[in-house]
């Protein structure tokens, strides 16, 4: 049940416990006239009170209704360098002039897909009997949406520790951007494995036991 105040008595309804003698009424007013005046004015007063409550309540509810927060505006997250860098094998190359004996070279392409520039701080390989240098020498930087050709030259320092056949060789590349420094292992693929195995066989074909 909704509403404000108790139900109003109908016209002519009497409350028996509120009866008063006629001589207690104001002069010139009968009980019937006073009852009609009371009912009429009380209904107007209640209507005004209800309107005030509704208006006041509506204003209160509007003022205290929680505001919807604005979506938080976060800057675009900088990706980790390993997420945007790829190393692609190109081909075998003759070693540069002045390289020590038992050296061989490969060309790879270092590309950066997006984000801030990425710096290659180090390139290495897993075999103990080999050393490695790059041209350009590390560290070198590559911008987003671009690629850089790198020449990797390996030198066999110990044929006993170098693999006779490289099954699944990889390159360890240390990358740096404004978010992180990571070392990522890249597997250049089957052609790289074949060319590396051939170069090792040639370099160590005259090794002594």
């Amino acid at each position: 049940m909704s509403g404000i105040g108790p139900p109003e008595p109908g016209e002519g309804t009497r409350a028996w416990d509120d009866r008063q003698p006629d001589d207690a009424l104001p002069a010139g007013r009968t009980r019937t006239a006073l009852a009609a005046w009371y009912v009429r004015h009380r209904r107007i007063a209640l209507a005004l009170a209800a309107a005030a409550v509704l208006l006041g309540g509506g204003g209160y509810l509007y003022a205290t209704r929680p505001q919807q927060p604005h979506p938080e505006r976060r800057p675009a997250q900088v990706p980790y360098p390993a997420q945007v860098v790829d190393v692609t094998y190109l081909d075998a190359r003759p070693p540069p002039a002045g390289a020590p004996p038992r050296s061989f070279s490969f060309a790879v392409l270092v590309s950066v897909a997006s984000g801030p520039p990425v710096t290659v701080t180090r390139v290495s390989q897993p075999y103990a009997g080999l050393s490695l240098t790059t041209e350009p020498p590390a560290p070198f930087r590559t911008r987003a949406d671009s690629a850089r050709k790198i020449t990797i030259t390996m030198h066999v320092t110990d044929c006993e520790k170098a693999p006779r056949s490289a099954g699944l060789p990889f390159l360890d590349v240390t990358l740096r951007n404004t978010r992180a420094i990571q070392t990522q292992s890249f597997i250049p693929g089957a052609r790289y494995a074949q060319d590396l195995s051939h170069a090792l066989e040639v370099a160590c074909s005259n090794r002594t036991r």
Side-chain angles (χ1 to χ4, degrees), residues 50 54 59 72-73 75 84 97 106 119 121 123 125 127 138 155 162 181 189 192 202 204:
L54 290 176
E72 187 176 357
R73 296 179 180 176
V84 297
F106 307 100
T119 299
T121 61
V123 180
Q125 51 78 44
Y127 301 114
H155 170 65
I181 299 176
Y192 172 71
V202 171
C204 295

Side-chain angles (χ1 to χ4, degrees), residues 178-194:
T178 55
R179 180 170 185 178
I181 299 176
Q182 294 179 294
T183 299
Q184 180 77 6
S185 295
F186 293 93
I187 301 175
R191 286 198 307 115
Y192 172 71
Q194 294 170 2

Side-chain angles (χ1 to χ4, degrees), residues 29-156:
R29 294 189 180 181
T30 64
R31 183 181 297 274
T32 301
L34 182 59
W37 180 90
Y38 173 78
V39 169
R40 182 170 61 255
H41 288 80
R42 186 165 186 263
R43 286 180 175 175
I44 294 174
L46 288 175
L48 293 174
V53 169
L54 290 176
L55 289 176
Y60 176 77
L61 290 175
Y62 180 81
T64 58
R65 185 178 296 118
Q67 299 291 329
Q68 292 295 328
H70 293 290
E72 187 176 357
R73 296 179 180 176
R74 296 181 180 178
Q77 187 68 53
V78 174
Y80 286 100
Q83 294 176 329
V84 297
V85 171
D86 193 21
V87 175
T88 305
Y89 178 65
L90 296 179
D91 51 27
R93 301 286 175 92
R102 299 188 299 188
S103 297
F104 46 89
S105 298
F106 307 100
V108 298
L109 195 66
V110 177
S111 58
V112 179
S114 61
V118 176
T119 299
V120 174
T121 61
R122 186 171 182 266
V123 180
S124 63
Q125 51 78 44
Y127 301 114
L130 300 176
S131 64
L132 179 152
T133 59
T134 65
E135 179 59 41
F140 53 86
R141 196 181 196 195
T142 306
R143 295 177 299 174
D145 299 320
S146 63
R148 180 188 289 259
K149 184 185 294 185
I150 309 300
T151 300
I152 296 175
T153 299
M154 295 187 185
H155 170 65
V156 179

Side-chain angles (χ1 to χ4, degrees), residues 5-6 15 25 56 83 94 137 149 171 201 205 207:
L25 296 175
Q83 294 176 329
K149 184 185 294 185
L171 296 171
E201 179 66 27
S205 59
R207 60 186 175 184

